[in-house]
Amino acid sequence: MGRNSSSIGCNAEMRQCMEISEDNYSWAELPESSSQLRSEPRCCGSPPSNPTEAQEAHNVTNPTNPNAPVIQFQTSKISSQVKPDQPWKDYDTRTLEHPSRASYDADLLDRFGGITALRRTAKGFFYAEQVNGRWWLVDPEGHLFIHKAVVSVTPESSPNKKRALQTKYGTKEKWSEDTLQLLRSNGFNGTGAWSDTEAIRKSSQPVVYTQMWNFMSSYGKERGGTFQQPGHTGYPNDAIFVFDPQFTEFADRYAKQLAAMKDDPYLLGHFSDNELPFPANLLNKYLSLDPKDTGYKAALDWITKRKNVTAEQWNISMIDDADRQQFIGYVADTYYGIVSRAIKKYDSNHMYLGSRIHTAKDNSYLFQAAGKYMDAVSVNYYGVWTPMAASLKNWSQWSGDKPVMITEWYTKGMDTGLPNRSGAGWNVKTQEDRGKFYQNFTLALLESKIVVGWHWFKYIDNDPEDLTTDPSNRDSNKGIVTIRYEPYLPLLNRMKVLNDSTYDLIDYFDHH
């Protein structure tokens, strides 16, 4: 091994310990007799949805470890559409047809889901660290970890869902235990935003969770002026109230509740808000507010100083695209600075994960501001079939070399009877296609060496009869279960194959 290497303790079954060094690392080898390392073909879920479609299989091995599990990729075409009235288009889709192992034995993963063969400093809580060019999370026991989660793991409150929960589970406690077991048995090790964290924390076998807060939107409700938009809170002219002098005091007061979970090792970190608006013309929007508004005054002060003119000399025609781009960074820097200081004041143990960025993903100033304060940058990533390596790299570099978490993405199947009109995810034809999309998407994330976790949106389907939800969650197949809590097995089978192979895939991508 390379210089400054440190041996990692190994259990009795392992015949060779693994080392982390500045130069190289690889998984510990298991006994050759272990069925989990056999390279013969084995069943790995449902067959291709269309056996006649053109496919290309690739058997690959780890050249630095010939005893490593065999990884087999396959490429095929999957049809997708943006909305039900839009044309179908075929996309190249890479899948993992040969799972590296059926699952990880108990001695290979710790209680959080970290890989026990890879160890860094244990700090009692999660943190991010770059090891040999790849970003990781380090779990409380010091083991390297990738967060594989599902968003909105909660029974929700529509009458149909309440009746179904009562019929199937009887109690919320039974729902919680069965649901967390469903996640674990399919290779997930955590939950994303809007999950029932109280139930998770009470579980006999909790999973790693994230906490969703609403600093700006809660302040807006207290202040007045916010409204519901599809998927997130709306603000007048898309101008968040970050320049209100009262917001700093509110953020400190609001953050006091974080102290209740500051000692919980299963908490990965905090989101401060969801999908704050950062449109390209945000500067113009602020300057269209009432001149008495603090947001207008802040924008006017910023642009006149930037142009080195007085308020009387300034006019709207002076604004150019560079001004607009940098103003977004200024708004973001102000917001992230205020909320991160409040979060760290009352919970310095856990990671700050940001506000789940969904607009201005090509704006370097936004990510530069985010990176100053976040431990990992959260992005809701829609509009692409396969994550773009250049985008992932940009988000990390623009943030000052920070890891990225993909905190929303999904597809909807047209085989459920749901209209699938609402929401941002692609429409595909079957649950099998949803599973293939999941594999294609996550393979690109793992290959990037930048992404430390992904959160599938979401746990349970929309209930078309529930009109109390926001317009983006009305009639679509987004869940891993139906509104009757019935799992979508073709989807979950594909998810399990990928999830259970995650650490072997990282080993392959890092050495191939």
Side-chain angles (χ1 to χ4, degrees):
M1 306 298 287
R3 298 187 312 274
N4 300 327
S5 62
S6 57
S7 296
I8 306 304
C10 54
N11 59 46
E13 288 82 17
M14 294 183 181
R15 61 183 175 83
Q16 179 178 329
C17 290
M18 167 274 161
E19 295 179 338
I20 291 181
S21 73
E22 294 179 351
D23 305 311
N24 186 33
Y25 63 89
S26 185
W27 299 161
E29 296 178 4
L30 294 178
E32 293 179 354
S33 60
S34 171
S35 62
Q36 294 177 344
L37 287 184
R38 292 174 186 164
S39 60
E40 293 84 15
R42 68 171 73 86
C43 177
C44 59
S46 302
S49 57
N50 182 0
T52 63
E53 66 189 354
Q55 296 177 331
E56 181 181 2
H58 304 277
N59 291 313
V60 294
T61 58
N62 184 339
T64 66
N65 182 6
N67 293 317
V70 170
I71 304 289
Q72 179 176 309
F73 298 123
Q74 184 167 277
T75 58
S76 61
K77 300 285 188 181
I78 301 294
S79 295
S80 181
Q81 62 178 185
V82 177
K83 295 291 182 183
D85 59 347
Q86 297 295 309
W88 291 88
K89 181 179 178 181
D90 289 344
Y91 292 90
D92 289 329
T93 306
R94 178 174 53 162
T95 54
L96 181 64
E97 293 301 317
H98 186 106
S100 64
R101 60 180 81 239
S103 63
Y104 288 97
D105 284 342
D107 61 347
L108 296 181
L109 300 181
D110 65 20
R111 60 189 172 122
F112 302 100
I115 184 79
T116 56
L118 298 179
R119 185 170 180 82
R120 305 301 282 175
T121 301
K123 298 183 179 180
F125 301 97
F126 283 92
Y127 66 95
E129 183 172 332
Q130 196 172 39
V131 181
N132 297 313
R134 174 179 289 275
W135 275 105
W136 290 89
L137 297 172
V138 183
D139 75 20
E141 294 182 358
H143 300 131
L144 299 188
F145 174 93
I146 298 294
H147 198 222
K148 299 166 287 186
V150 177
V151 176
S152 295
V153 180
T154 177
E156 298 188 3
S157 58
S158 79
N160 287 331
K161 291 176 180 177
K162 284 183 176 179
R163 286 191 294 268
L165 184 139
Q166 182 63 35
T167 298
K168 184 165 185 175
Y169 298 108
T171 66
K172 187 176 178 182
E173 289 72 23
K174 182 65 164 57
W175 164 83
S176 175
E177 293 299 329
D178 283 9
T179 298
L180 295 185
Q181 177 56 32
L182 175 71
L183 295 180
R184 286 191 296 268
S185 65
N186 285 285
F188 291 102
N189 54 30
T191 60
W194 302 296
S195 295
D196 191 335
T197 56
E198 181 180 0
I200 293 168
R201 296 178 75 196
K202 290 180 179 177
S203 171
S204 59
Q205 290 185 287
V207 294
V208 177
Y209 68 96
T210 54
Q211 182 66 44
M212 185 73 209
W213 301 103
N214 300 290
F215 279 79
M216 181 55 67
S217 59
S218 293
Y219 172 69
K221 290 179 182 178
E222 182 174 289
R223 172 194 190 272
T226 58
F227 52 93
Q228 181 64 58
Q229 286 189 327
H232 49 262
T233 299
Y235 301 86
N237 280 14
D238 285 330
I240 60 174
F241 311 126
V242 71
F243 299 112
D244 286 10
Q246 299 85 354
F247 178 61
T248 300
E249 181 277 327
F250 173 87
D252 183 84
R253 171 163 44 93
Y254 183 82
K256 290 179 180 179
Q257 60 192 309
L258 276 66
M261 55 187 64
K262 68 180 179 64
D263 297 321
D264 189 348
Y266 284 93
L267 173 60
L268 175 62
H270 301 285
F271 299 111
S272 54
D273 272 285
N274 178 56
E275 297 188 341
L276 293 174
F278 295 114
N281 61 344
L282 186 62
L283 176 56
N284 297 72
K285 286 176 171 285
Y286 268 88
L287 291 170
S288 298
L289 295 169
D290 187 310
K292 296 180 182 179
D293 190 285
T294 56
Y296 173 88
K297 294 176 181 178
L300 181 63
D301 182 63
W302 182 86
I303 190 63
T304 53
K305 287 180 178 178
R306 178 174 170 82
K307 297 297 185 180
N308 195 27
V309 297
T310 66
E312 293 73 25
Q313 294 171 325
W314 176 85
N315 67 76
I316 198 74
S317 65
M318 294 181 180
I319 297 177
D320 58 28
D321 287 342
D323 299 327
R324 295 184 183 93
Q325 291 179 22
Q326 292 191 42
F327 182 74
I328 289 174
Y330 175 61
V331 174
D333 190 281
T334 305
Y335 166 81
Y336 291 131
I338 292 171
V339 298
S340 66
R341 286 188 289 271
I343 288 171
K344 295 299 184 180
K345 177 179 178 180
Y346 294 100
D347 182 3
S348 60
N349 293 329
H350 295 104
M351 299 175 67
Y352 174 41
L353 305 174
S355 61
R356 308 171 88 247
I357 294 169
H358 81 303
T359 55
K361 292 194 287 290
D362 60 349
N363 187 309
S364 63
Y365 301 102
L366 170 59
F367 284 88
Q368 180 180 342
K372 287 174 61 177
Y373 305 102
M374 295 180 198
D375 299 294
V377 179
S378 57
V379 180
N380 294 352
Y381 198 10
Y382 293 110
V384 297
W385 186 259
T386 302
M388 299 177 65
S391 294
L392 297 172
K393 183 177 181 180
N394 284 341
W395 298 340
S396 178
Q397 289 184 343
W398 292 341
S399 302
D401 194 18
K402 290 291 178 72
V404 173
M405 295 187 70
I406 303 303
T407 42
E408 252 192 55
W409 57 288
Y410 65 95
T411 52
K412 304 168 284 186
M414 297 302 290
D415 57 351
T416 63
L418 290 168
N420 289 334
R421 291 185 295 261
S422 64
W426 302 93
N427 289 338
V428 294
K429 294 182 178 179
T430 67
Q431 299 304 306
E432 175 76 8
D433 289 345
R434 294 180 77 202
K436 288 183 175 181
F437 170 79
Y438 179 89
Q439 291 190 354
N440 180 73
F441 203 94
T442 52
L443 284 170
L445 300 182
L446 289 171
E447 200 166 16
S448 75
K449 303 185 181 183
I450 290 165
V451 176
V452 294
W454 56 79
H455 299 176
W456 173 269
F457 191 85
K458 58 181 189 158
Y459 164 66
I460 193 167
D461 278 347
N462 297 157
D463 180 355
E465 297 181 15
D466 182 11
L467 302 182
T468 65
T469 60
D470 77 76
S472 72
N473 275 304
R474 289 282 167 85
D475 62 5
S476 291
N477 165 224
K478 302 178 181 180
I480 62 173
V481 301
T482 72
I483 64 170
R484 294 175 296 280
Y485 300 94
E486 298 164 342
Y488 288 111
L489 295 181
L491 167 66
L492 284 167
N493 287 341
R494 288 277 179 182
M495 289 176 157
K496 176 177 173 57
V497 167
L498 189 291
N499 292 344
D500 283 345
S501 303
T502 296
Y503 297 119
D504 292 326
L505 285 164
I506 290 174
D507 188 41
Y508 167 72
F509 286 135
D510 286 354
H511 293 94
H512 186 68

